[in-house]
Amino acid sequence: MTDVSRAREALVTRILEGDGRASPAQRRAAFAREGLDEPLQTLVRKVAEHAHRVTDADVAAARAAGLSEDQVFELVVCAAVGQASRQYDAALAALRAAEGT
Amino acid sequence: MRLAILDGGHGLGTKALFALIRAFSRQDVLDVIKLVKYRPEFYGGPMQGVTHEAMRGPSAWLVGDRELMAAVVARANECEWCTRAHTAVAEGAYGDRAKVSAVLTDLESAPIGEPLRATLRMLRKLTTGHSVDADDMRALRAAGVSRAQIEDALAVSFAFNTTARLADAFGFTVPGPEAFAAGAKYLLARGYR
């Protein structure tokens, strides 16, 4: 494994399994972009699919639903890393398929 | 930013560091720095490790090539903050503003080599469509891009597909060109750690 893939795995392990203010189940759901209650589900989906469309209202709605700023911080990080990870894994799988390995 | 903790929730030592940065650079602290320094044991620390390795670790790609990849990924995400930031770093790394601007205006006619052009094309597709297939990768190999170069480019893409999402979701403030120029100078001298 290369240094960068090791560093990436350490990041993913840290945000999903390390100490946090959001529960590990919520962090895993944000990473996977599914299985969260509204309005958090909408925020997480927007972060994953088109983050430039996230609005003040999306973040305010998550706060109004009872999440602390630290919980929103963690769950948005998990959503962003999750989507970038799915892209990365899909591209590496395509590379392996092209190389026949 | 949309979360007050990211603007002002840092520890005292970090606040002192920010005061020094403001004094020496005569610029406000960039929002990306505030992000990675907020509870750095959760995200910023491990992420800086990934980004530094992807952008400054050993690779057949030049630093300028990797910064250009970051700018192209940022543009494909429609992230204005990251596009401006990495356009400035790529310009500084290459010492060539025209080349960077040509790539962001029209990748197909820009004056760059075919391996880099093919790689940027793949990163753009991966970023906007969230996937690529084996034929896309075969096209890259046919254009003369090594397997290791593809893996290196994918690491850059991972770092900036993450950062662009956070810049937009947290609502980074886009500063003037002087602030990005100061940031670019720092990143070229010190890297991402």
Side-chain angles (χ1 to χ4, degrees):
Chain A
M1 196 190 290
T2 61
D3 288 348
V4 72
S5 42
R6 226 183 333 262
R8 199 188 67 83
E9 292 202 354
L11 167 70
V12 171
T13 303
R14 173 62 191 89
I15 63 171
L16 295 183
E17 295 172 20
D19 288 344
R21 317 276 164 87
S23 71
Q26 266 190 320
R27 283 183 266 154
R28 280 194 298 273
F31 186 93
R33 201 191 47 188
E34 58 192 23
L36 293 158
D37 293 334
E38 291 297 352
L40 185 56
Q41 179 64 39
T42 294
L43 173 62
V44 158
R45 188 177 45 75
K46 283 173 104 167
V47 171
E49 292 174 9
H50 34 68
H52 62 281
R53 292 191 207 157
V54 171
T55 64
D56 293 352
D58 294 323
V59 174
R63 294 276 288 114
L67 293 168
S68 69
E69 286 210 338
D70 273 299
Q71 289 172 325
V72 174
F73 162 68
E74 292 176 5
L75 296 171
V76 168
V77 164
C78 290
V81 173
Q83 188 66 22
S85 293
R86 278 185 292 280
Q87 293 178 359
Y88 183 77
D89 291 341
L92 283 180
L95 179 59
R96 282 193 297 273
E99 300 280 316
T101 58
Chain B
M1 281 192 277
R2 296 188 173 116
L3 298 177
I5 49 173
L6 295 179
D7 266 321
H10 307 83
L12 287 180
T14 302
K15 283 184 173 160
L17 173 70
F18 288 174
L20 277 177
I21 293 174
R22 286 191 191 95
F24 280 104
S25 71
R26 297 190 185 136
Q27 301 290 338
D28 198 4
V29 178
L30 291 172
D31 281 350
V32 73
I33 307 293
K34 296 180 188 167
L35 169 64
V36 297
K37 295 295 183 193
Y38 181 70
R39 288 175 56 202
E41 78 290 347
F42 182 81
Y43 166 75
M47 185 62 185
Q48 282 181 285
V50 175
T51 309
H52 187 81
E53 193 59 36
M55 301 308 283
R56 299 293 183 268
S59 174
W61 296 114
L62 301 172
V63 166
D65 297 339
R66 288 181 262 176
E67 293 290 348
L68 189 57
M69 291 173 198
V72 165
V73 165
R75 170 63 64 80
N77 275 307
E78 299 181 52
C79 178
E80 184 188 357
W81 200 99
C82 296
T83 305
R84 285 178 188 254
H86 293 282
T87 296
V89 192
E91 287 172 353
Y94 283 136
D96 185 345
R97 297 187 71 139
K99 176 157 91 173
V100 176
S101 148
V103 166
L104 291 174
T105 305
D106 179 17
L107 174 59
E108 299 310 321
S109 67
I112 55 172
E114 287 313 309
L116 181 57
R117 191 191 320 280
T119 301
L120 293 171
R121 212 183 272 137
M122 182 274 290
L123 293 181
R124 202 166 56 182
K125 180 176 178 183
L126 177 62
T127 300
T128 53
H130 304 288
S131 196
V132 287
D133 58 28
D135 284 341
D136 295 313
M137 293 302 181
R138 287 189 196 101
L140 276 189
R141 300 288 279 116
V145 186
S146 73
R147 184 171 185 161
Q149 281 180 302
I150 296 174
E151 291 172 348
D152 292 350
L154 293 176
V156 175
S157 172
F158 170 79
F160 291 97
N161 267 295
T162 299
T163 301
R165 282 178 170 72
L166 297 181
D168 281 332
F170 292 137
F172 284 12
T173 301
V174 177
E178 303 80 14
F180 282 128
K185 206 171 150 190
Y186 179 89
L187 287 175
L188 288 170
R190 303 277 300 275
Y192 288 81
R193 278 197 281 238

